Amino acid sequence: MKKTVVRAVAATALAGAAVLGAAAPALAATQDQPGVVVVDEPDTANLNNIWTFAPLGVPVLGLIQSLNGVPGRILPG
């Protein structure tokens, strides 16, 4: 019984530490900056290649090209 209580306390302490560690970035946010933080636009200069063009959310042409090369890599030649 004593071993079970010790394990429960240890598990609770570890879970609490994990939750506090996950919340650390939110707790570390500074309150002295009023207003909205403005972030610069992302660099989209190189998003026109076959691997990043994704009209359906998946790079369709890159996916087809990748799947096309699979049989040659799996089967011995």
Side-chain angles (χ1 to χ4, degrees), residues 5-74:
V5 172
V6 170
R7 286 182 182 172
V9 169
T12 304
L14 287 174
V19 168
L20 185 62
L27 295 174
T30 59
Q31 297 295 328
D32 60 345
Q33 297 177 352
V36 178
V37 177
V38 178
V39 179
D40 195 15
E41 293 182 13
D43 181 18
T44 58
N46 196 16
L47 292 180
N48 56 359
N49 64 15
I50 194 170
W51 296 101
T52 57
F53 176 70
L56 302 174
V58 176
V60 179
L61 300 175
L63 179 66
I64 292 171
Q65 183 180 12
S66 178
L67 291 176
N68 190 22
V70 168
R73 293 183 184 138
I74 293 177

